[in-house]
Amino acid sequence: MFTHVHDDSRSEVDFIRFILAGRVGPEADEPEGPDRCRISLNAQQGIAPLPPRPETTITRDIDSIIGVSHSLPYTTALSVWPVPPFKETLQKDNHIKGKAYDAEGDKIKVSLHKIPNVPLGKVEQRHVVRIFSPRLYAKASEDPRWVGLSQDDFAIIYDRCLRPLIIQYLPETRDRWPTSYNVALTHARTLAGSIAFNTVDVAWRVLKQLAIPLLTKLGEEKEEFRDAYFVHELRGKKNAAMHDGTDPVARQMALDDVFEHVDTLELDPRQWHSDRRNALRNKKNTLQ
């Protein structure tokens, strides 16, 4: 058929009809023709039947959940670092994008690990809360040597914002908070020259009251700290939240386990993302 296409325009139409619809012959255009003049191809003809698949199960586990908010929605104490440990700064890509501002002041979306941030504290010694400064992104992106907030920034956060507000809401804890960031840094140094990153607990009952004033105060004390927000990393325990992903009850129970110390009524679900690990298993093998 193809060899005559260039000589006969009708043959070209027949060829296209054959390729696209499998229809061939002079009756292909007639009302009853297409069903009688259609060619079908059986891709499995002559192939031996596939052996039955071994019995398999598919499970999934929640590695972590990342959330962005302007609140501290916890139902247990937040252990705050007067001297924030650098290792808890978000430096690796977690595939989540957050709000930032470019050099012209326009709002953009960039990977969270590219936005300057400082660890604020831990919940139950597992979940990490960080403060992100989106207006510092432009400066950080222009200078590849710029790795994050400076010691002067840490002093502003602690001396002018964090400590005064906590003492305002929890005056009975005044003696537990070092009088300044430099004093806290001095006390944290060990005889071996390393730093012990001690924490001070903040009662859960004041966290909701503390969150917005803290972010507001940061912007008042330094222009680049405006529009700061919290990013929460809820870290799951390995295999603790493993469940059948097809079972809605099991899915909910796994989420309830990870959110055990979080007031979910305070969350915007659109700002929370889960990192899950899937596993395909049979009697002999596991594929993750």
Side-chain angles (χ1 to χ4, degrees), residues 1-285:
M1 178 185 293
F2 180 76
T3 57
H4 297 288
V5 167
H6 65 282
D7 296 326
D8 185 353
S9 61
R10 182 64 183 175
S11 297
E12 181 178 355
V13 174
D14 292 340
F15 178 71
I16 294 173
R17 181 187 293 113
F18 172 71
I19 293 298
L20 296 181
R23 297 174 183 174
V24 65
E27 298 181 356
D29 283 334
E30 297 181 5
E32 301 297 330
D35 291 334
R36 298 200 307 267
C37 304
R38 178 172 295 167
I39 296 176
S40 300
L41 177 65
N42 183 357
Q44 293 184 328
Q45 185 174 352
I47 298 178
L50 295 175
R53 296 181 180 179
E55 183 178 349
T56 59
T57 58
I58 300 176
T59 59
R60 69 179 188 180
D61 196 9
I62 300 176
D63 286 342
S64 65
I65 293 180
I66 307 297
V68 178
S69 77
H70 290 88
S71 63
L72 296 169
Y74 297 101
T75 59
T76 190
L78 174 65
S79 301
V80 173
W81 288 293
V83 178
F86 181 76
K87 70 175 184 178
E88 292 292 356
T89 302
L90 182 63
Q91 305 173 68
K92 295 182 178 180
D93 190 0
N94 60 7
H95 310 293
I96 305 296
K97 291 187 176 182
K99 178 185 69 176
Y101 294 88
D102 60 19
E104 287 72 35
D106 294 327
K107 187 186 299 185
I108 56 176
K109 287 280 190 177
V110 299
S111 298
L112 279 176
H113 74 291
K114 296 182 178 180
I115 303 173
N117 62 93
V118 56
L120 175 64
K122 274 191 172 185
V123 175
E124 291 296 309
Q125 299 303 312
R126 189 166 84 247
H127 310 318
V128 180
V129 183
R130 302 179 177 95
I131 300 175
F132 278 65
S133 301
R135 292 194 177 275
L136 283 173
Y137 166 75
K139 181 179 178 181
S141 60
E142 292 172 358
D143 184 357
R145 298 170 300 175
W146 200 82
V147 294
L149 278 67
S150 66
Q151 293 295 311
D152 290 339
D153 291 329
F154 292 157
I156 292 174
I157 293 172
Y158 181 82
D159 296 348
R160 303 185 197 175
C161 305
L162 184 60
R163 184 177 183 273
L165 282 172
I166 290 178
I167 292 175
Q168 175 184 337
Y169 288 103
L170 293 170
E172 66 275 13
T173 65
R174 177 187 295 269
D175 60 330
R176 301 186 59 192
W177 297 91
T179 55
S180 70
Y181 174 77
N182 287 332
V183 169
L185 185 59
T186 299
H187 290 172
R189 296 191 183 279
T190 66
L191 294 177
S194 60
I195 297 179
F197 296 101
N198 301 314
T199 60
V200 182
D201 287 349
V202 177
W204 67 271
R205 66 180 184 274
V206 302
L207 292 178
K208 293 181 182 179
Q209 306 170 50
L210 178 66
I212 295 298
L214 176 57
L215 297 178
T216 302
K217 187 66 174 174
L218 287 169
E220 293 173 352
E221 292 297 333
K222 185 169 180 175
E223 180 72 14
E224 289 87 348
F225 286 166
R226 288 190 300 116
D227 301 306
Y229 52 84
F230 301 109
V231 173
H232 313 266
E233 181 182 352
L234 308 183
R235 296 171 175 172
K237 297 178 182 177
K238 189 173 183 179
N239 298 329
M242 187 170 291
H243 61 283
D244 180 358
T246 63
D247 184 346
V249 175
R251 292 200 303 266
Q252 187 60 52
M253 291 178 64
L255 282 174
D256 291 345
D257 181 70
V258 179
F259 282 97
E260 179 183 4
H261 302 290
V262 180
D263 183 358
T264 55
L265 297 178
E266 295 290 322
L267 308 183
D268 178 357
R270 297 169 298 179
Q271 298 296 325
W272 290 75
H273 312 270
S274 63
D275 178 16
R276 299 184 296 267
R277 176 168 49 89
N278 296 320
L280 177 65
R281 293 182 172 86
N282 59 28
K283 293 181 179 180
K284 295 183 178 180
N285 303 296

